[in-house]
Each structure stands twice: as C-alpha cells, then as structure tokens.
Amino acid sequence: MPLPPRVPELGALDLLLSVAKLGSLGKAAREHGISQPAAASRVRNMERLIGVPLIVRSATGSQLTDEGSVIADWAGRVVDAAAELDAGISALRNQQASRIQLACSMTIAEYLLPGWLAELRRRLPGATIGLQVVNSAEVAELVLSGKVDLGFVEGARPPEGLDAYPVARDQLLLVVPHDHAWARRAEPVNAAELAATPLISREPGSGTRYVLDHELERLGYHSRPAPIMELSSTTAIKAAVEAGIGPAVLSSLALAEDVAQGKLVVVPTQGLDLRRVLRLVLRSGEQLPPVLRDVVAATGAGAGARRDRPGPGAARPLRP
C-alpha cells in the first residue's frame, strides 16, 4: 500500500533529527551536505505536510517545538528501521556478490579461462566462482534461463535475448597426423575436398562445429559425409587425430602446443573463412552489478566495450 499522504520523506525526518541533536538548522544543513536555505525549505515543506510547527528559530539557534519533539521521537524509530533495512540489503548484496555463476564453452574454458580466473581472483579474492563447462548452445540456454550470471561462447552469434561482447578472436585450422597424405601435399586443401572428407568432429551445438558447418553450407556444400566420430572433448579429438584415425578442424588456441611439439600437422586450406569471434554473453538490457563488471574487465572485454567489437585481449591465431 502507498504511504499515508502526511508521512514526510525519510531525508526530511533525518534532517529534523539533526536539528534536534545539533541545536542549529545551519549545522544540520552542513551535516547533510545541503545549503541552509535548502534545509529551511525542507523543514517548511514538512510543516505544511504535517500541519504543525516543528522548529522555532532564534538568534541562539534552532529548537524543536513540543510537536516537533514528538515527531522527532517517532522519526528516530523510522530512521533506525531504515538503517537496519539498509544493513540487511547490504548483507544480501555482499552474499550474492560472493557467488558468481559462469558457463563457458569447452575451448574457452581450457585455453583462456584459467588466465581470466587468475585476474578475477586478484580483483575479487573473496568470491566463490561456480563454473559449468558445456558447449556454446548450452551456455546460451543457461544464460537466457538465468541459471548463470554470464557465459562465454564460440563462433555463432548468440540468440535473441542476449547481448554479446568480443573477448578474443580465433581461427579454426585443419590438422592431420604425420602419416596422413595431406601432411605432405604442397597445395592447400580446398573447400570441396574438405566438404567431401569424413572428419573427427565435435558434437552438434559446439561452437567449433558450427563455424565449420556454417562456412561449408555458405559455400554450397549442404550434403556431407557423416563424421568418423563425434567427441565432446577437444583433447580427445587431438588424441584421435594423433592416433591416425582421421583429420579434424580445431581451434588455433587448442593446437598451438601440439603443433609446436610436432604431434600434429597443420594443413593449409583455401577458399574457406574459418575465423571466429569468442564472446562474453549476458541477458539483453541487464545492468551488471559491480562484481560482474569485474568479471567482464578480467576477460579483457572491458566494462564499457561495445557489442561485437574486438576486445583488447584478442587471441593470436596460429598460422599454418
């Protein structure tokens, strides 16, 4: 229900208590950070609202009337209750701020998130971070449903209802084992050859798979052979490629160490655009509390980053 019409606003009641405590309207005004004329106007408005005089001013200061003293007694209880309410709200906010729920796609979780979490721990040493590592489609669903605070996805633009901010850029690369015929060829693999070749692939819903499928469909290759196998782990796919089971298309972030150690061979491609943007996603129009702004800043996206523009922490793609 709305407050009764004769109840003054909380700030005016607090000002009246300051006058009673300090014995001066001018001192009360300074305590509240307002001018003396503004304080006098606030008292007059209170008196008109309540219908009784509250303050008597003299050369020696300001005193409450008998009616003003009664009002001040009641006001003290109201102001104390407001302070108790504020303390309770702060406690709830601090409790909420100590728990951060994130969802992250596989590649980002394995190759970028550890560095972000170290920076976040520096910024928020007391925070408890919950993390779900799933594919990009599932990340978007978790953020939309409100089950997590923020998410990180690969490849596809997120669905309606989510705002997205780039945190890095990546490139997908074709890799094969050393004994594969493509490891020794001089010319790049073109889109037609790649589209006709069974691959070791991530599961549907993966950002990595989406980028490759979307690009081949864009080029007109709608009918393709089934994958040799579908695996939900990038590490498992790399192990399968190294074992000679077949080629795969994976993130440059995931391949840097394996290629440097000579475990896998990157095969150049032509006619394909396999670049992608890695994004932080949140519910559209949501105003982030300070704790989540720290999460955004820790990723390098920056609290004021524009949507779908590259952040300063862009990943460097591994060149074949």
Side-chain angles (χ1 to χ4, degrees):
M1 59 175 285
L3 287 174
R6 288 185 297 278
V7 175
E9 53 113 14
L10 192 61
L13 293 175
D14 197 23
L15 177 65
L16 183 67
L17 293 175
S18 294
V19 175
K21 178 181 67 174
L22 300 171
S24 165
L25 184 63
K27 291 179 180 178
R30 286 192 291 275
E31 184 176 67
H32 285 258
I34 60 176
S35 67
Q36 184 168 332
S41 175
R42 187 171 291 183
V43 170
R44 286 194 300 272
N45 289 338
M46 252 198 309
E47 290 175 329
R48 284 195 295 269
L49 182 67
I50 296 172
V52 297
L54 299 175
I55 291 178
V56 176
R57 302 180 64 184
S58 67
T60 59
S62 301
Q63 300 296 324
L64 300 190
T65 65
D66 291 342
E67 296 89 344
S69 295
V70 173
I71 295 295
D73 182 55
W74 294 336
R77 285 175 261 170
V78 173
V79 171
D80 288 345
E84 185 179 349
L85 175 63
D86 181 64
I89 291 172
S90 296
L92 285 175
R93 286 171 60 90
N94 290 337
Q95 182 181 18
Q96 181 64 31
S98 69
R99 297 193 303 268
I100 303 170
Q101 297 295 326
L102 304 177
C104 193
S105 66
M106 307 285 186
T107 301
I108 295 175
E110 191 167 356
Y111 300 101
L112 292 178
L113 191 63
W116 295 343
L117 290 180
E119 171 62 16
L120 185 57
R121 177 61 59 189
R122 186 188 68 80
R123 291 172 176 266
L124 300 170
T128 299
I129 300 168
L131 176 65
Q132 296 188 51
V133 180
V134 291
N135 64 40
S136 292
E138 292 170 306
V139 170
E141 291 174 5
L142 288 169
V143 177
L144 278 171
S145 68
K147 294 179 180 177
V148 299
D149 301 307
L150 297 171
F152 299 93
V153 299
E154 310 163 24
R157 289 184 179 274
E160 186 176 351
L162 295 179
D163 289 342
Y165 297 83
V167 292
R169 294 188 180 274
D170 185 25
Q171 181 175 342
L172 301 186
L173 301 174
L174 173 62
V175 288
V176 297
H178 282 278
D179 58 356
H180 194 278
W182 285 353
R184 297 178 297 278
R185 64 183 286 166
E187 69 278 2
V189 172
N190 60 40
E193 289 178 283
L194 188 59
T197 302
L199 302 174
I200 305 170
S201 177
R202 283 287 305 276
E203 79 286 359
S206 156
T208 298
R209 179 159 176 172
Y210 171 88
V211 171
L212 177 61
D213 289 349
H214 182 76
E215 176 63 7
L216 289 174
E217 288 174 7
R218 184 186 71 83
L219 295 172
Y221 301 103
H222 301 285
S223 178
R224 297 170 52 204
I228 299 171
M229 57 177 62
E230 292 180 346
L231 301 173
S232 61
S233 163
T234 298
T235 301
I237 293 177
K238 290 191 294 182
V241 174
E242 187 179 356
I245 295 174
V249 173
L250 294 171
S251 164
S252 64
L253 295 170
L255 293 171
E257 184 175 343
D258 297 270
V259 172
Q261 293 176 357
K263 296 179 179 179
L264 300 173
V265 177
V266 175
V267 180
T269 59
Q270 66 178 14
L272 292 148
D273 183 0
L274 297 179
R275 296 171 296 178
R276 64 177 180 172
V277 179
L278 312 181
R279 298 177 173 93
L280 177 151
V281 293
L282 62 152
R283 289 176 290 280
S284 295
E286 185 170 43
Q287 296 297 314
L288 293 182
V291 63
L292 293 184
R293 290 200 291 270
D294 278 328
V295 177
V296 175
T299 68
R306 294 183 182 179
R307 282 178 288 177
D308 284 328
R309 291 188 61 183
R316 295 180 179 272
L318 176 67
R319 299 297 181 185

